[in-house]
Each structure stands twice: as C-alpha cells, then as structure tokens.
Amino acid sequence: MNKPLTVHRHETLLVPQGEFELQRNPRDENLQAWDAADEFLLNYVHDIQVLSRHGRVLILNDAFGALAVALAGHPVYSWSDSFLAQQALRDNLLANGYPVDQVKTNSGIDLPAVAVDCVLIKIPKMLSLLEHQLYGLRQILHRDTRIIAGGMARNIHSSTLELFERILGPTTTTRARKKSRLVMVERDHSINQGQSHYPQSYELEVDRVYRILNHASLFSRDRLDRGTRLLIENMPVEDRFRRIVDLGCGSGVLGIVAAAFNPHASLLFCDESYMAVASAAANFGDAFAQTRDAEFSVNDCLHKVAAESQDLVLVNPPIHQQHSVGDALAWRMFKDARRVLRRDGELRIVGNRHLGYHAKLRKLFGNCETIASDSKFVVLSSIKT
Ligand SMILES: C[S@@+](CC[C@H](N)C(=O)[O-])C[C@H]1O[C@@H](n2cnc3c(N)ncnc32)[C@H](O)[C@@H]1O
C-alpha cells in the first residue's frame, strides 16, 4: 500500500538576500507567509542591484513582512493598512534576529512623508486602495526613484495597469514567473493632474439621514452592502443592551444604527484596518457629536477586550484576508464574540446563506435562531447561555 503523501510546510524563504523564517498572522499550518510575487520582487531587486546600501526603500502592502524582513539591512519603511500585517512584520523581524524598530512602520491614512529611492508595491486586492496610494506616492518620489510592483498574475488586470499609467507614468510588465508578474513604472513628472477620490461618502437613511464616509480600503464604499442592510433592518433593540460591539466595523454603520436604536448603550468599534477604524470614528462623530460614548480600536478581533463584558456583538464577517478566501476569520470572530459576551448576551450576524454560519454558531453557542433572510443573506442570532 502506498504511504500517505506528507505535505511539508515551507517556513523558510530562500532568496538572494538570505534565508528567512516567516510565519503568517494568524498562523496557518497550511499556508506560506509569502507568495511567488515576493520571491520575484526580491530576486529582481537583487539582480538589477536597484538598492544601494543607504537608499531608502518604501514597501507597500507587505502581507506578512516577507519583503521588509528580507530587505531589513537597508533603511526600510513599510506602509500597510492592516494591523495583522504589521503584527506579522514585527513577529517576523524578531524571529530573524532584528529589533522591531529595524523597519519603520507607518499605518496612517497617508504614506510616510519621506523621500524614497525605491518603492516596492504588492498590488492590493482593492484597486481603490492602490489608486489612493499611487496619488500619495507622487509626493515622495524624486527623479530617480525606482517603482516596482508585483502580484500574482490573476490579480493584475488591464485596469490595474491603466491606474499606474494614468497616475504615475509609462508602465510595462514582465512575463509571468510561477504565476506572478512584476510591473515596472516610470514616473512621468509632467503627469500631475487628478487626485485621490478617497475618502468617498454616501447618505444612509434609517431613522434619519447619516453621512457615511469611507476611506480607500473599505468594503462597499459608495453604498450600503445588501447584507449590512438586512442586519440594519433586523437590529436588536433592548433596554438591557448597555455595551455593544461592532466587530469588523468597516465604516461603523452597524454600530451607529445600534447606538441610535439603543440610546443607553456605549459602543466599541473594532477592525483590523486602520482606514476602517478612522472611517468609523469620523462617522460616529458626525452622527452623535460628543453626546454618546464610544471607543475605537484597531485590533485583531476582540483581543484584550475583557471576557464577559459586553451585551451585544454585531458582525458581518469578512470572507477575505488579503487575497485568500475562507471562513477561518468568521470562526475566530464568533469565538471571540462568545468570550466577551455576558451570560444572556447576544451575537447577531449577517452572512451569505451558502456559508453555513448556522452550523458554526450552533456548535459554539448551542443555539442559533434565524431572524431574517432574503435570496442571498441570512441574519442569525445566538445567545450565550
Ligand atoms: C464584510 S466587512 C463588514 C464591514 C461593516 N461591518 C459592514 O457591514 O459594512 C468585514 C470587516 O472585517 C474586518 N476584519 C477582517 N479581519 C479582521 C480581524 N482579524 N479583526 C477585526 N476586523 C477584521 C475587515 O477589515 C472589514 O472591515
């Protein structure tokens, strides 16, 4: 009989810059902390000797820190909208013998205000984020700055290349290598028109009209998502809800409507995206001025939120982390929600019908009620007993 095939996890990135031990965040036994585009970029910058010892490198959207750790011998700046990515970078620097401040991280809405000699861009899933970043880059490029982007070929479309051409200048691509591709961009300094379209906003009418502002990386930026709408239409209202969490808050619409309908509650807005938390804070401020209590936290799920401290958790779970799809994040969110809920506290979620969240919630809470559904989405409720 044949022995079962054993699949070994690759933890060591082997590139011309050296060997690096890398982990994803959250850890995943089955997935690497880098992709073929990271390897292609690192090989390329080595082969064409684009980095001088003292030249400043800016890295955008490094998912788990693979690029920044491999180039940490240079002055490296890393910008990411993701708290998970920044944590991965910190952990991977430490794992490879570097202090955490070896790479300067920047997580604001805007890119770091330093002139850089080389920019390496991992092409993000959201074109809106790339567009915002390319406009931001114009401020910090000098005449000789090299700009090289990379991604898996399936994520690089003609619209992606048009964006580079329109905002920065002439753009060419390499042949695919291990299904990844590089994009070389030449800055044309005569192209100066236009500016970032983000943040964007729309008006949401519920009990009154709210202005909902969305920074560039947000989900459903120009209108309310249909699933979110179904949860809003089925928002729980109870006098006992004094502490409400909007987990994975995005622009904060769920928490804002929950606050309006539950006037004695204080709110906690959490998201792993810096742009999301900034959007939620702006939107809550716009809706309630200083009249209501709320906290805003860039966080991985509800890390460090005290157990048994909350009455209601609202979630519209993400189905993507970076470019990968799955329900692992939803499961982590549900587990964390259960931990922070008081006895009799409620988790209310909306999700695609086909994702089977019902079974997960029943397994975790021992109960799950269907509150509402349409052809695509379902609103579910579980009570902590
Ligand atoms: C489907 S969107 C929902 C946004 C908003 N609640 C709505 O309904 O419009 C999911 C959100 O979860 C956030 N998210 C993803 N992973 C997270 C994590 N580990 N911790 C906290 N938030 C996370 C994403 O950034 C995104 O804003």
Side-chain angles (χ1 to χ4, degrees):
M1 212 167 93
N2 286 340
K3 273 175 62 179
L5 187 69
T6 313
V7 180
H8 292 287
R9 185 164 45 119
H10 295 282
E11 285 185 336
T12 310
L13 170 66
L14 266 172
V15 279
Q17 291 82 3
E19 287 185 23
F20 304 96
E21 296 298 313
L22 299 171
Q23 291 277 1
R24 288 172 81 101
N25 181 31
R27 293 196 170 197
D28 189 318
E29 295 297 309
N30 302 309
L31 295 170
Q32 272 182 183
W34 66 92
D35 62 17
D38 292 316
E39 290 176 295
F40 201 170
L41 273 166
L42 289 168
N43 277 285
Y44 184 81
V45 294
H46 176 266
D47 292 350
I48 62 159
Q49 301 197 336
V50 72
L51 304 180
S52 66
R53 189 100 211 116
H54 303 292
R56 287 175 169 158
V57 189
L58 170 64
I59 300 172
L60 301 184
N61 316 317
D62 197 8
F64 304 105
L67 294 173
V69 170
L71 298 173
H74 300 271
V76 174
Y77 294 76
S78 174
W79 188 97
S80 164
D81 181 47
S82 162
F83 177 73
L84 290 174
Q86 296 220 347
Q87 277 193 321
L89 168 58
R90 192 202 56 195
D91 294 348
N92 285 325
L93 281 168
L94 289 173
N96 288 280
Y98 289 112
V100 286
D101 59 0
Q102 182 75 16
V103 169
K104 292 177 193 51
T105 54
N106 187 294
S107 47
I109 307 280
D110 298 315
L111 302 181
V114 286
V116 290
D117 305 297
C118 177
V119 183
L120 301 180
I121 307 172
K122 277 305 285 296
I123 294 174
K125 195 173 156 46
M126 298 244 181
L127 269 193
S128 51
L129 177 60
L130 182 63
E131 178 179 338
H132 184 73
Q133 291 175 330
L134 298 186
Y135 279 116
L137 274 180
R138 282 182 176 178
Q139 319 304 319
I140 56 176
L141 302 175
H142 59 69
R143 288 215 94 72
D144 301 318
T145 306
R146 296 292 297 258
I147 310 160
I148 308 162
M152 298 310 288
R154 65 175 180 276
N155 300 321
I156 303 176
H157 312 284
S158 49
S159 52
T160 320
L161 303 177
E162 276 163 27
L163 215 54
F164 283 104
E165 292 256 354
R166 176 163 58 78
I167 302 171
L168 293 181
T171 299
T172 51
T173 59
T174 61
R175 283 166 177 272
R177 176 162 146 184
K178 288 211 245 163
K179 299 188 179 161
S180 69
R181 219 179 257 286
L182 300 188
V183 177
M184 313 295 167
V185 189
E186 230 179 276
R187 174 75 176 112
D188 175 349
H189 289 269
S190 70
I191 303 180
N192 275 317
Q193 70 276 29
Q195 57 181 18
S196 172
H197 295 99
Y198 305 98
Q200 272 183 343
S201 57
Y202 64 86
E203 288 193 341
L204 168 66
E205 193 167 351
V206 189
D207 55 322
R208 63 184 174 91
V209 176
Y210 298 93
R211 181 199 59 123
I212 303 297
L213 168 143
N214 291 278
H215 283 290
S217 73
L218 266 74
F219 156 86
S220 207
R221 287 172 306 282
D222 54 356
R223 80 189 93 91
L224 192 65
D225 165 66
R226 199 170 125 192
T228 311
R229 179 176 297 282
L230 192 64
L231 184 42
I232 284 179
E233 287 165 1
N234 292 280
M235 185 61 71
V237 183
E238 285 191 41
D239 194 43
R240 68 187 176 96
F241 292 150
R242 297 299 159 120
R243 295 180 68 99
I244 300 179
V245 183
D246 183 349
L247 171 54
C249 62
S251 62
V253 276
L254 291 175
I256 288 169
V257 175
F261 290 0
N262 293 276
H264 303 298
S266 64
L267 273 289
L268 171 60
F269 292 86
C270 294
D271 204 292
E272 77 96 27
S273 151
Y274 290 88
M275 287 190 173
V277 172
S279 306
N283 292 331
F284 192 84
D286 193 62
F288 300 109
Q290 305 295 322
T291 61
R292 296 292 296 272
D293 273 354
E295 271 180 66
F296 301 89
S297 168
V298 180
N299 202 349
D300 179 13
C301 297
L302 297 169
H303 188 63
K304 290 192 179 156
V305 176
E308 318 239 321
S309 61
Q310 309 293 322
D311 302 306
L312 172 66
V313 179
L314 302 166
V315 192
N316 177 4
I319 42 178
H320 294 103
Q321 189 194 352
Q322 313 281 359
H323 288 288
S324 47
V325 183
D327 59 6
L329 259 169
W331 180 242
R332 288 176 63 235
M333 285 183 162
F334 298 163
K335 279 200 343 205
D336 240 10
R338 185 174 184 284
R339 182 182 60 77
V340 305
L341 280 171
R342 294 197 178 106
R343 207 163 163 189
D344 294 330
E346 176 175 352
L347 168 63
R348 192 166 290 202
I349 72 143
V350 65
N352 274 55
R353 298 170 73 103
H354 74 268
L355 289 172
Y357 289 149
H358 195 278
K360 283 192 162 45
L361 292 176
R362 192 168 281 284
K363 189 166 164 196
L364 203 56
F365 285 80
N367 64 79
C368 177
E369 186 188 344
T370 301
I371 303 290
S373 62
D374 64 18
S375 57
K376 194 167 171 209
F377 293 99
V378 60
V379 174
L380 303 171
S381 162
S382 287
I383 305 292
K384 181 164 170 183
T385 49

